[in-house]
Amino acid sequence: QNSVFQNKSRVPLDFQDVQKEMKNQSYIPELSMLLTADQRPVGYGQIIRNQTAYYLVNFGIVPEYQGLGYSHFLLEALLNKAKDDGLEIILLEVFEDNAKAVKLYQNHGFKTMYNKCQWTYQRYDKNSPTELT
């Protein structure tokens, strides 16, 4: 996951983080998949459960293997396993400016439920406009 999301604003995971996640009630071992190629991990994705729904999370392919069809293969495997397990609805969140991800999910049957806007507020010191107060 650290390689997949290295350019995003995410805190890198360590082994203890993964162990903690695996003990969480939302974790479903059979719906957590690691994709390998050339004897190395190249992609990861999982479907988790909260109290009311199932969500596709932490899905991605390492940069050097992107654009080669691995995301389609991994997503199809996850969705097939979920279907075999009786899941009928799977939700996910993706930024709409992530065109590749949006297209991937649409190609696999996901539909937009709603769009939300993300806002950032930063307060600047008027005497030093480049520094946060």
Side-chain angles (χ1 to χ4, degrees):
Q1 290 186 49
N2 291 340
S3 295
V4 169
F5 300 112
Q6 64 186 344
N7 297 329
K8 309 292 183 209
S9 58
R10 295 176 77 160
V11 176
L13 298 174
D14 61 23
F15 187 69
Q16 287 78 21
D17 295 326
V18 174
Q19 284 184 315
K20 184 178 177 184
E21 183 177 319
M22 291 172 69
K23 293 178 183 176
N24 194 321
Q25 286 184 326
S26 65
Y27 180 75
I28 307 169
E30 52 279 352
L31 292 176
S32 299
M33 296 185 176
L34 176 69
L35 179 65
T36 61
D38 304 323
Q39 299 181 348
R40 61 175 289 220
V42 299
Y44 181 77
Q46 69 182 122
I47 296 172
I48 62 170
R49 172 186 54 238
N50 72 12
Q51 292 83 9
T52 60
Y54 291 89
Y55 289 87
L56 175 67
V57 298
N58 301 325
F59 184 87
I61 304 295
V62 296
E64 56 270 26
Y65 283 83
Q66 291 176 359
L68 302 174
Y70 288 102
S71 60
H72 291 279
F73 180 79
L74 179 57
L75 184 55
E76 191 69 26
L78 267 169
L79 295 176
N80 284 337
K81 179 62 177 148
K83 183 179 177 181
D84 290 347
D85 288 356
L87 276 62
E88 294 181 17
I89 298 174
I90 300 169
L91 306 173
L92 64 84
E93 291 184 12
V94 62
F95 290 115
E96 64 182 8
D97 66 344
N98 188 346
K100 286 182 180 181
V102 169
K103 184 177 179 181
L104 170 71
Y105 298 134
Q106 287 174 338
N107 287 341
H108 286 271
F110 284 89
K111 306 281 186 234
T112 301
M113 288 178 54
Y114 60 88
N115 290 323
K116 65 181 182 180
C117 197
Q118 187 173 26
W119 295 78
T120 301
Y121 172 75
Q122 293 180 335
R123 188 172 138 193
Y124 293 95
D125 180 354
K126 60 184 168 186
N127 296 324
S128 178
T130 59
E131 293 182 24
L132 290 172
T133 58

